Amino acid sequence: MPATPAQVKDGLKAAIQTVPGLRAFDYQPDQVNPPFAWPTLDEIRFHQTGMSSGGVVMDFTVTIVVNRASERTAQDALDQYTAWSGAQSLRAAIEADRTLGGVCDDLIVNSAGNFTNIDANDTLYLTMDFKVTVYA
């Protein structure tokens, strides 16, 4: 039986929590307290193997929010999260266990991008998205 979206979000949250100093949620939090990240389900594709029992593929967006006290420090923070490897690398953290503790068959972090400013409570923050494909 394929994983549920909730199980995958819990697994992604656990992976995100391994990045030092990065708060993780399995939902978009109401309270803005950066740096933090959360996964959002974008799409589920069923019957991807042609077999009756499975081949479920799920696409998620993991969004990171950082303080934007200055453009340079915010961009430097996001640059660390986009690194291929290292303690701050979100890609490395998510792909460290590509089964999310046995919840799925495999996953891959496809890309990082969509740098955007958001305004919350009259404060600017910088965000970016990581695209993750999960093979359940």
Side-chain angles (χ1 to χ4, degrees):
M1 169 101 7
T4 67
Q7 290 172 314
V8 174
K9 287 194 290 185
D10 286 344
L12 289 170
K13 175 187 172 187
I16 294 165
Q17 286 176 324
T18 66
V19 177
L22 185 60
R23 290 174 195 81
F25 298 90
D26 57 357
Y27 57 88
Q28 181 176 352
D30 291 332
Q31 198 70 17
V32 180
N33 189 10
F36 65 92
W38 76 93
T40 303
L41 176 64
D42 297 326
E43 180 179 45
I44 300 175
R45 294 184 304 281
F46 301 105
H47 306 295
Q48 296 299 296
T49 63
M51 301 172 81
S52 63
S53 64
V56 175
V57 177
M58 299 181 207
D59 293 315
F60 286 84
T61 298
V62 176
T63 303
I64 293 184
V65 178
V66 298
N67 283 318
R68 191 175 187 266
S70 75
E71 298 88 5
R72 183 177 306 193
T73 57
Q75 189 60 57
D76 287 347
L78 290 180
D79 286 348
Q80 291 180 34
Y81 295 126
T82 61
W84 176 259
S85 61
Q88 296 300 122
S89 170
L90 188 62
R91 186 217 58 89
I94 292 173
E95 291 186 355
D97 175 4
R98 292 177 54 156
T99 69
L100 299 174
V103 168
C104 61
D105 293 332
D106 197 10
L107 65 76
I108 188 167
V109 178
N110 295 306
S111 64
N114 191 30
F115 296 93
T116 306
N117 287 305
I118 61 168
D119 186 347
N121 302 322
D122 296 322
T123 303
L124 277 179
Y125 301 93
L126 188 60
T127 71
M128 70 177 297
D129 296 329
F130 288 77
K131 297 295 184 175
V132 181
T133 300
V134 177
Y135 303 91

